[in-house]
Amino acid sequence: NHVALTWKQVASDVVFNFYVNGSLVASKTNTGSSVSVSALRIGGFTTVDNTSNLANQFRGSLYDMQFYS
């Protein structure tokens, strides 16, 4: 499977789109937000999850990852 996440700033909102094999499967708009690229987390939901709540960690393999800006 191929997965992709895109986001774009629209005025004061951020629109996130999630694709699987080229098909849009989910979309979310965060109102009054901005995108920060200072921290990228893969496999965890929040800082708390990354340090103490291992039940929410990704348990799989990732390969051939590519990042574009």
Side-chain angles (χ1 to χ4, degrees):
N1 288 332
H2 175 264
V3 297
L5 172 69
T6 65
W7 68 84
K8 65 180 176 179
Q9 189 79 41
V10 179
S12 63
D13 301 338
V14 178
V15 178
F16 295 92
N17 291 315
F18 183 67
Y19 298 86
V20 176
N21 295 327
S23 297
L24 180 66
V25 295
S27 183
K28 177 164 175 52
T29 299
N30 285 0
T31 303
S33 298
S34 62
V35 173
S36 171
V37 293
S38 62
L40 175 64
R41 294 183 188 96
I42 299 174
F45 297 103
T46 66
T47 302
V48 172
D49 290 333
N50 285 334
T51 58
S52 64
N53 189 354
L54 297 179
N56 290 330
Q57 299 297 305
F58 174 74
R59 293 189 179 109
S61 299
L62 299 173
Y63 65 94
D64 194 22
M65 294 182 65
Q66 299 177 17
F67 298 87
Y68 302 93
S69 62

